[in-house]
Amino acid sequence: MGAHISIPMYQRAVKQRYRLVGLKCSNCGQIIFPPKAGCKSCGALDNFTEVQLSGRGKIYSYTVIAGAGAPPEFSEEAAYRGAYPVVLVELEEGPRIIAQLTEPVPAEIKIGMPVEMVLRQIYTEEDVIRYGYKFKVLEGEK
Amino acid sequence: MEVGIVSYGTYFPGLGITRSEYQKALGNCGANFSEKTVADFDEDSLTMGIAAARDALFEGINPEEISFLTWASTSPPYSEKLLSGSIAEMLGLKKNLFSAEYGQSTRAGGEAFLTAVSLVKGGFGQKALVIVADAPRANVKDPIEHGLAAGSAAFILGTENPLAVVDNFVALVQENLGERFRKAGSGEIKDIGVKTFTGEAYQKLIAKAVTELLEKENLKPADYNYAVFHEIESRLPLKAGKKLGFTDEQMLPGLLYENTGDTGAASPFLSLAAVLDRAKPGEKVIVTTYGSGAGVIAFSLTVKKPANRVPVREKLASGKKYLNFIQYLRVKRYL
Amino acid sequence: MRRVAIIGAGQTPYGDFPELGVKELFAMAFKEAIESVDKGIAPHEIQQAFIGSLSAGSGFQLGQLAPLLMGHVGLPNVPAVRVENACASGGFALYNAINAVASGQCDVALAAGVEKMRDVSSTKAKYWLGISGDTEFERLAGLTFAGIYAIIARRYMEEYGLTREQLAKVAVKNHYHGKMNPKAQFRQEITVETVLKGAPVADPFTVWDCSPTSDGAAVVLLCSEDRVKEFTDHPVFIIGYGIGSDYLALQDRDSITSFKATRQASTRAYRMAGITPKEIDFAEVHDCFTIAEILAYGDLGFGEKGEVIRLLEEGETYLGGRLPVNVSGGLKSKGHPIGATGCGQAYEVFNQLLGRAKNPERQIKNAEVGLSHNVGGSGGTAAVFIYRREG
Ligand SMILES: [Zn+2]
């Protein structure tokens, strides 16, 4: 199974998946998520500190995955939901992240809509539930 | 040392279904609500509990200060596997904390709450986080399923500057057969369907606990401003309260079933939150939590300051997506 | 560094070939490549082989694919290596083969690509196709490859006012071209309406915005300048080439409406060739999804971002236009056997430059300079080649 993410691999990133812990480069101030060994801005390889990201941001772009096209881990979800939206979010702190958009999904998704991170089940494999971040549209703040 | 609630948070899923959808689909509905909350496909008691806890922690509380964590749910995502570690990681709590996880009945919230109160009172640590979350399931053909809903509440307990302090409590148990139960290995609750028998048991046990609590406190029903009776269904709580001498005025602020359905263990704590949303300093609250099988934990509180939270009722009224019955079956994975 | 020319090329038809395995597909393209050399070539003249493939045959890991395939065509002792950069595997195989010849490591090298995608259930295909993005963070958001490009498309539409209909025109054009290509997987013309009314895949894409899964192989034979005359009087020289890379995940990139990897690759290729985009007569670009061709126009310098929409609207990239793009049908209509694509593009450019497009109606007239552009995943890697007919 080519793209299978093992449970140990998943677990090593729970801090990021469960609550958006990013890195801040002490050299240039760049906020990095998901964490990397090298700073994307200045190339520094050390002196990073962990930062808790706010989980708030705006929709930078989006798509809606049709049921039949979902990756295998999501085929059950696709079968139940029919189709599900995925958004690229630009967080307040700068980094962009990709995640699903949860209900209630607005009738029309628009770039720029404010969103907030929520913790949800991502999928279940080997009977183990993988939890992680998704986003919901903040109402009344458009 | 006075121990009390320093912050609280609540959460309802963004999905709902009206009673009329049940009636349209099945011809009847076995529960008396106008609409109920529905956990989404990707939600469970853990994700809902985290949402409520994040709402509670939002009040400028440092997650690092939490020394105790108690959890309550009759519908945990795993029947066996500690959830405290997940919760600690999900919320960024420190890892050297004492935790206890309850879930043998819908009284679990009362157990979790009082355990936390005792631990803080014992001076073993500064603050406790109590999470009560539930999304019980049953066979959709069984009328007991019709009322089942989802929701969660979380409380941070401490000694500094509380919103409300815990005054006293009473806990009772007795043998009760055939009332809401779930056999080992099953994911679905059921009962023997003899409503008068079980309704009677609920009322009697609640009455006994509340009477004892009033005696302990040397107070009368009229001395309380609010009374929360665990809403295991729509009519019994009001009935039980009236028999004890509580008025509509005392009870209505805590009645949520009409708009939520049965939120299981979370129910009395969502009601408590709804009461705290409006309570004024000096006001007194009595709360009962009921578990089938059976047992009651009742406790009383005195409000110290206004809460200033987004009210539970406002959350319930906002931006929900309503499902039709087929969508409901899909989301609940009943299909 | 020595100058390098293509002396022969072969390619299987792209499509669904239940009776052909990865070895048979490779052998078929190999044979055609050998036979395409004007003055003939003995297979043992090949000194090194670079073969691009993502799945190595069936979606499961299979080590040492390249010597396996070379052994199958009777050349077990030709040093051979498999090259993998997802959808750009073929392009990077070609890159390595060119360098092997240019550096003097060998005089004659083989670059190839092969993919057998139709042997496995669509579920399994999705599993291994998913490897090509940043699996850990993109894929686990429930995102598919189409979804990643759809997110790019939505952003492009927002930033540059690209419309849904304009996007569909890429597919319409490439199907128009593919209809004339006897080796194309889809040989049917479609309309904008066909695209819009297709089954949804990932908003805004329907199935008609997406390239298909395909079986296929392509082989290119390369030779150093000093020995070209032994094999042909009509060599096609690779006058410029470049490669580029970027973060795999869209979330890590500053812009998602441009592929830095392509810009990097094309800048190097143009500089090496000493020409500007204006001197390109035609191009085969990586249109795995309709938006990808629009991105390619900008990143290859065919026009400024946003303004490139005009190229399509005014028919300039149609056969007969100022700059025909994807006359083969592109990935969209010709097919996209992942590892084969980059070498299949070289095959098309080689034949077009030599006037050997087979079907005369699809022959580009008097073309001298062609370009091919191969992208890995959603822009994690890219390879660009510029070719010129000499003689
Ligand atoms: Zn830096």
Side-chain angles (χ1 to χ4, degrees):
Chain A
M1 295 300 187
H4 169 76
I5 300 283
S6 71
I7 284 161
M9 185 175 177
Y10 202 89
Q11 184 170 319
R12 284 192 280 270
V14 286
K15 227 189 255 186
Q16 286 79 49
R17 296 196 175 286
Y18 287 178
R19 64 187 157 102
L20 300 180
V21 173
L23 292 179
K24 183 175 185 171
C25 174
S26 307
N27 188 37
C28 76
Q30 175 79 34
I31 306 281
I32 304 160
F33 186 93
K36 291 176 182 59
C39 175
K40 67 181 284 183
S41 165
C42 75
L45 290 172
D46 44 28
N47 292 324
F48 297 106
T49 50
E50 286 194 346
V51 284
Q52 176 61 60
L53 303 178
S54 67
R56 283 185 299 274
K58 288 195 162 115
I59 294 178
Y60 186 78
S61 193
Y62 67 95
T63 183
V64 180
I65 304 291
E73 302 92 333
F74 297 88
S75 52
E76 194 198 357
E77 174 170 4
Y80 281 100
R81 290 182 71 181
Y84 57 84
V86 177
V87 287
L88 178 59
V89 171
E90 185 162 281
L91 296 172
E92 278 177 357
E93 295 87 353
R96 290 187 201 131
I97 59 177
I98 284 184
Q100 284 189 29
L101 198 62
T102 63
E103 299 287 359
V105 174
E108 199 188 342
I109 303 169
K110 284 190 186 132
I111 288 171
M113 280 180 163
V115 291
E116 188 174 62
M117 177 252 186
V118 293
L119 180 92
R120 294 294 172 101
Q121 292 185 2
I122 305 298
Y123 66 94
T124 297
E125 203 174 66
E126 299 170 74
D127 264 353
V128 174
I129 305 165
R130 317 279 182 109
Y131 291 96
Y133 54 80
K134 294 189 180 181
F135 284 85
K136 70 163 188 203
V137 171
L138 289 173
E139 46 180 317
E141 290 185 37
K142 177 92 206 311
Chain B
M1 184 163 42
E2 278 190 328
V3 176
I5 297 166
V6 295
S7 176
Y8 63 94
T10 53
Y11 174 78
F12 296 104
L15 301 179
I17 186 168
T18 59
R19 186 165 193 256
S20 61
E21 282 298 327
Y22 267 90
Q23 290 165 326
K24 261 192 273 173
L26 303 177
N28 69 335
C29 180
N32 198 21
F33 56 85
S34 58
E35 64 181 64
K36 67 170 185 173
T37 55
V38 181
D40 203 352
F41 184 84
D42 56 0
E43 294 187 282
D44 57 30
S45 55
L46 180 56
T47 65
M48 292 193 303
I50 294 297
R54 286 167 57 126
D55 190 33
L57 290 166
F58 168 76
E59 274 288 271
I61 284 156
N62 180 2
E64 289 270 324
E65 287 175 15
I66 310 281
S67 309
F68 313 116
L69 167 65
T70 60
W71 157 268
S73 177
T74 66
S75 56
Y78 293 96
S79 296
E80 178 166 349
K81 180 203 176 298
L82 211 67
L83 298 177
S84 307
S86 311
I87 294 166
E89 195 63 80
M90 288 162 178
L91 295 172
L93 307 181
K94 63 180 179 185
K95 306 286 167 53
N96 56 333
L97 52 75
F98 170 86
S99 69
E101 304 178 7
Y102 299 96
Q104 193 66 25
S105 77
T106 55
R107 199 189 67 163
E111 298 162 15
F113 190 81
L114 280 187
T115 301
V117 168
S118 314
L119 286 164
V120 176
K121 209 168 183 110
F124 297 110
Q126 274 188 301
K127 284 192 172 71
L129 170 62
V130 183
I131 302 177
V132 193
D134 230 346
R137 296 169 63 84
N139 189 323
V140 74
K141 290 178 195 145
D142 186 339
I144 200 172
E145 192 280 338
H146 302 178
L148 298 182
S152 58
F155 295 82
I156 291 162
L157 306 182
T159 53
E160 283 167 42
N161 210 9
L163 302 168
V165 295
V166 180
D167 298 324
N168 220 326
F169 78 92
V170 163
L172 297 176
V173 293
Q174 74 176 36
E175 174 66 310
N176 244 20
L177 297 173
E179 209 181 0
R180 176 176 179 154
F181 67 94
R182 181 162 60 85
K183 286 286 292 287
S186 167
E188 298 176 338
I189 61 163
K190 51 178 171 177
D191 63 14
I192 56 166
V194 189
K195 282 200 170 175
T196 44
F197 177 69
T198 48
E200 191 70 13
Y202 167 86
Q203 292 190 61
K204 277 190 174 158
L205 205 55
I206 293 264
K208 215 169 152 188
V210 170
T211 308
E212 239 179 75
L213 185 60
L214 293 175
E215 279 169 12
K216 256 184 158 175
E217 287 279 279
N218 200 20
L219 293 170
K220 303 179 298 296
D223 295 326
Y224 286 89
N225 302 83
Y226 303 99
V228 168
F229 294 101
H230 193 149
E231 294 183 275
I232 61 166
E233 55 94 276
S234 63
R235 292 184 190 92
L236 281 173
L238 214 52
K239 230 168 139 181
K242 281 202 170 145
K243 263 188 198 164
L244 282 162
F246 290 96
T247 62
D248 280 0
E249 207 188 357
Q250 288 165 298
M251 292 189 282
L252 288 176
L255 293 179
L256 298 172
Y257 190 95
E258 174 75 6
N259 296 308
T260 60
D262 180 358
T263 52
S267 165
F269 291 91
L270 285 165
S271 296
L272 171 58
V275 164
L276 292 176
D277 285 342
R278 52 181 285 163
K280 293 180 204 58
E283 293 190 323
K284 285 187 171 297
V285 188
I286 192 164
V287 181
T288 64
T289 69
Y290 183 81
S292 57
V296 170
I297 292 173
F299 55 93
S300 56
L301 305 123
T302 301
V303 175
K304 294 288 181 186
K305 61 175 196 178
N308 197 21
R309 309 290 298 160
V310 176
V312 166
R313 285 178 196 278
E314 197 173 294
K315 285 186 182 176
L316 269 175
S318 69
K320 214 180 283 172
K321 178 177 163 180
Y322 291 93
L323 305 172
N324 63 39
F325 197 70
I326 295 293
Q327 289 170 320
Y328 174 76
L329 295 180
R330 281 178 177 276
V331 161
K332 295 280 282 183
R333 309 187 195 206
Y334 285 141
L335 261 192
Chain C
M1 297 288 267
R2 306 188 294 174
R3 295 213 315 144
V4 181
I6 301 180
I7 53 170
Q11 187 211 293
T12 65
Y14 288 172
D16 194 355
F17 304 110
E19 71 287 2
L20 300 176
V22 67
K23 290 190 274 193
E24 290 80 14
L25 288 165
F26 174 73
M28 195 193 258
F30 178 79
K31 188 159 180 279
E32 189 192 344
I34 294 290
E35 288 168 356
S36 74
V37 177
D38 288 346
K39 298 180 181 174
I41 186 171
H44 68 260
E45 297 269 14
I46 297 166
Q47 295 163 313
Q48 284 191 20
F50 299 85
I51 303 178
S53 179
L54 172 60
S55 77
S58 59
F60 297 100
Q61 290 191 356
L62 177 64
Q64 305 194 102
L65 176 75
L68 175 80
L69 295 177
M70 293 304 283
H72 187 67
V73 296
L75 300 170
N77 301 117
V78 173
V81 62
R82 172 183 162 208
V83 178
E84 188 277 305
N85 256 350
C87 316
S89 298
F92 278 80
L94 181 57
Y95 173 80
N96 279 304
I98 295 167
N99 278 344
V101 175
S103 66
Q105 276 286 315
C106 62
D107 295 338
V108 179
L110 171 146
V114 61
E115 211 72 64
K116 181 73 195 169
M117 300 176 73
R118 310 278 300 190
D119 262 7
V120 291
S121 70
S122 61
T123 302
K124 281 182 182 153
K126 277 187 229 160
Y127 257 110
W128 63 263
L129 276 173
I131 315 170
S132 311
D134 186 327
T135 307
E136 217 187 329
F137 284 90
E138 273 183 349
R139 157 71 170 281
L140 293 187
L143 207 51
T144 54
F145 244 144
I148 293 169
Y149 274 96
I151 281 179
I152 294 172
R154 275 286 168 208
R155 186 70 202 179
Y156 202 104
M157 291 162 92
E158 173 84 5
E159 285 182 18
Y160 300 105
L162 175 74
T163 66
R164 180 65 191 91
E165 288 71 22
Q166 287 164 337
L167 203 51
K169 284 179 180 171
V170 173
V172 172
K173 170 180 73 70
N174 292 349
H175 273 265
Y176 166 78
H177 289 155
K179 193 185 177 208
M180 295 179 275
N181 184 355
K183 287 187 174 177
Q185 185 164 355
F186 292 131
R187 301 192 58 200
Q188 76 193 95
E189 271 194 70
I190 56 170
T191 63
V192 166
E193 197 172 38
T194 319
V195 180
L196 301 190
K197 291 197 168 156
V201 170
D203 173 89
F205 295 157
T206 71
V207 68
W208 293 103
D209 289 279
C210 311
S211 55
T213 56
S214 324
D215 297 338
V219 170
V220 178
L221 297 174
L222 301 166
C223 178
S224 57
E225 183 170 26
D226 56 320
R227 290 189 58 193
V228 159
K229 289 279 173 229
E230 293 173 38
F231 304 109
T232 181
D233 294 327
H234 308 286
V236 167
F237 276 87
I238 293 164
I239 57 169
Y241 59 103
I243 54 172
S245 284
D246 202 350
Y247 286 116
L248 293 200
L250 292 189
Q251 61 187 15
D252 292 326
R253 300 190 198 149
D254 294 332
S255 168
I256 64 165
T257 53
S258 168
F259 283 165
K260 258 188 197 165
T262 298
R263 292 203 168 227
Q264 212 177 22
S266 63
T267 303
R268 284 174 187 159
Y270 286 128
R271 193 189 303 136
M272 178 175 169
I275 64 167
T276 66
K278 287 203 164 44
E279 292 164 74
I280 302 293
D281 294 322
F282 70 101
E284 286 288 306
V285 310
H286 197 92
D287 62 327
C288 48
F289 299 93
T290 44
I291 187 66
E293 182 162 321
I294 308 262
L295 293 190
Y297 288 175
D299 293 336
L300 294 170
F302 296 167
E304 280 307 307
K305 274 203 285 182
E307 170 210 349
V308 298
I309 300 165
R310 196 178 42 82
L311 290 175
L312 255 182
E313 287 279 328
E314 295 174 5
E316 292 192 15
T317 51
Y318 267 87
L319 181 63
R322 182 177 61 83
L323 173 57
V325 172
N326 286 333
V327 262
S328 68
L331 285 59
K332 178 69 209 71
S333 160
K334 179 190 181 186
H336 182 27
I338 306 287
T341 290
C343 289
Q345 291 174 325
Y347 166 86
E348 175 72 13
V349 175
F350 175 74
N351 283 310
Q352 285 287 357
L353 285 173
L354 296 181
R356 298 174 184 174
K358 300 217 166 62
N359 186 350
E361 61 173 345
R362 63 182 289 270
Q363 178 64 51
I364 302 167
K365 309 279 184 305
N366 306 317
E368 249 183 75
V369 179
L371 176 146
S372 75
H373 161 245
N374 192 196
V375 174
S378 41
T381 52
V384 171
F385 304 91
I386 300 170
Y387 315 70
R388 188 165 61 209
R389 165 168 58 90
E390 295 183 14

